[in-house]
Amino acid sequence: MNSLNQKVSFHDFQPELESLREAVFEGLSHKQKQIPPKFFYNETGSALFEKILEQPEYYIPNKERELLRQYSDEFAKLIEPDAVLIEPGSGSCEKVQLLLESLLPHAYVPMDISSDFLMQSAYSMSRKFPWLNIYAVCLDFTQEMILPHVVPQDRRIVFIPGSSLGNFDPLEIPLFLCSIHRLVGKGGGLLVGIDRKKDHSILNAAYNDEAGITAAFNLNLLDRINNEIDGTFNPDNFEHYAYYNDQLGRIEMHLVSLADQHVSISGRSFRFQKGETIHTENSYKYRPEEFVNLAYSGGFKHHKTWSDNEDYFSIYFFEAI
Ligand code: AVI
């Protein structure tokens, strides 16, 4: 544990580099090659993701911000002051800032896989909210989440904005929610933002922005493999591909091989045929009733849903039962 100043502490449970190598070897051995999306988020990937959030086609941040501003007093009534607010995948901690002055939590626990980014964000939060106790935890939130014991015992609320849960397979969501349940305990809360099913052209545009930022974010995975585990990918030989799969209710992101080619990673050779893809991300979209049912199977009772006037995006509050 490192103390950055009196109100901020840093707790490092970052996964080891080996897990990238293992995941890539494992993922590339499947018939449909794949790499888990959590590996997007090295320092460059996290910075590119912040740029995605500014793209006009990517409507999620604006819709969600609008809801967080409009309903923060309603959230505060449900959450009450002096809670411990935990944010898995906190990134730049931008959204939570819209809530803090209304919620007045006792402590904030940002959790992120990218330690440098987490530390920068925690510093910046402590400058903006000097009254707030911050316990920054570096971990992979898709694994069991650990809270350092210095975190106070007040009512715990998990905040997951940005439709991050959309990147989970729906079959894994109840299990993940069970781990959140263990973190918050019975009576704890879950405030979560989830993207909705809608016109396909809007969804497809959101993941194929004109400025090419989502493409760069996707292709950065190849640079990361080259730099960190000795890969020989030529990113010019791959192309970003994202489309809405209506049957499965999800955006799929892939990297398409533009040629027959061999790539070596840590001395091991992988063959790619022209047109073959590496599946890098799914982003599921939910109707409110679909998501409420999923949350229930993870041990959370629905309290309320707030949606924007175009029904693009919803925020839900659940209580652990
Ligand atoms: C983090 N997650 C919710 C984003 C999404 O919309 O699925 C990741 C993303 N990938 C491409 N653009 C945004």
Side-chain angles (χ1 to χ4, degrees):
M1 195 263 278
N2 274 320
S3 243
L4 305 177
N5 72 26
Q6 276 181 328
K7 291 259 182 193
V8 187
S9 58
F10 182 72
H11 308 263
D12 195 355
F13 305 114
Q14 194 179 30
E16 303 201 341
L17 253 192
E18 193 58 24
S19 62
L20 172 64
R21 183 179 293 116
E22 277 165 14
V24 168
F25 280 2
E26 209 274 321
L28 295 187
S29 68
H30 289 242
K31 190 157 184 291
Q32 168 62 69
K33 293 183 170 64
Q34 58 196 53
I35 298 176
K38 67 182 177 188
F39 293 108
F40 281 138
Y41 300 93
N42 64 348
E43 211 180 337
T44 310
S46 297
L48 284 166
F49 182 64
E50 291 305 310
K51 279 177 115 184
I52 289 179
L53 300 176
E54 293 163 11
Q55 299 312 300
E57 300 91 338
Y58 194 70
Y59 54 84
I60 291 181
N62 286 339
K63 291 293 188 192
E64 189 169 50
R65 242 180 253 128
E66 189 184 309
L67 293 171
L68 291 172
R69 284 205 186 94
Q70 194 173 348
Y71 297 112
S72 62
D73 290 343
E74 281 196 39
F75 304 147
K77 275 195 203 120
L78 288 167
I79 290 170
E80 298 176 358
D82 287 331
V84 172
L85 192 60
I86 304 165
E87 184 177 359
S90 49
S92 61
C93 309
E94 186 237 325
K95 306 270 173 58
V96 76
Q97 297 181 35
L98 299 172
L99 295 179
L100 291 174
E101 304 287 0
S102 312
L103 297 193
L104 296 174
H106 182 188
Y108 172 56
V109 184
M111 294 174 157
D112 206 275
I113 196 167
S114 164
S115 62
D116 295 342
F117 199 54
L118 176 69
M119 230 190 277
Q120 278 169 28
S121 304
Y123 266 128
S124 144
M125 287 291 284
S126 78
R127 278 192 298 271
K128 288 184 190 155
F129 302 93
W131 51 271
L132 185 63
N133 296 297
I134 300 175
Y135 302 88
V137 183
C138 179
L139 52 66
D140 171 3
F141 75 84
T142 62
Q143 309 293 314
E144 184 72 24
M145 286 175 275
I146 307 159
L147 274 193
H149 7 260
V150 286
V151 173
Q153 290 299 321
D154 308 86
R155 186 184 186 209
R156 292 175 172 177
I157 307 291
V158 165
F159 176 51
I160 311 184
S163 207
S164 300
L165 283 185
N167 297 127
F168 283 66
D169 188 300
L171 293 173
E172 290 168 358
I173 286 193
L175 211 64
F176 178 67
L177 292 181
C178 285
S179 86
I180 291 186
H181 198 293
R182 283 193 289 281
L183 207 63
V184 298
K186 207 168 153 193
L190 171 64
L191 186 68
V192 58
I194 298 286
D195 199 14
R196 295 174 61 144
K197 291 195 162 93
K198 61 181 70 62
D199 191 294
H200 301 181
S201 62
I202 296 165
L203 289 167
N204 284 323
Y207 293 81
N208 290 285
D209 59 274
E210 283 218 359
I213 309 296
T214 308
F217 173 72
N218 200 4
L219 285 158
N220 175 58
L221 206 45
L222 304 182
D223 277 334
R224 182 168 184 194
I225 293 171
N226 288 348
N227 297 335
E228 292 182 24
I229 53 170
D230 204 13
T232 62
F233 279 107
N234 178 353
D236 291 341
N237 287 345
F238 286 84
E239 192 173 72
H240 165 73
Y241 175 54
Y243 78 105
Y244 184 65
N245 181 331
D246 188 26
Q247 245 185 345
L248 297 175
R250 69 190 193 193
I251 286 281
E252 292 187 11
M253 291 218 312
H254 295 256
L255 289 163
V256 187
S257 173
L258 298 176
D260 290 334
Q261 53 186 314
H262 280 91
V263 173
S264 152
I265 302 167
S266 302
R268 217 156 120 177
S269 177
F270 294 89
R271 191 167 81 97
F272 291 85
Q273 285 177 332
K274 186 175 175 182
E276 185 179 4
T277 74
I278 310 174
H279 189 170
T280 51
E281 188 177 60
N282 290 319
S283 189
Y284 284 86
K285 312 298 170 186
Y286 291 99
R287 287 191 201 93
E289 63 279 14
E290 290 175 326
F291 191 72
V292 165
N293 287 339
L294 261 188
Y296 189 72
S297 49
F300 284 87
K301 184 175 87 182
H302 178 235
H303 265 254
K304 191 155 182 184
T305 304
W306 298 265
S307 303
D308 64 281
N309 47 17
E310 292 179 291
D311 281 344
Y312 276 20
F313 194 85
S314 294
I315 295 181
Y316 304 79
F317 186 70
F318 298 97
E319 190 178 302
I321 46 176

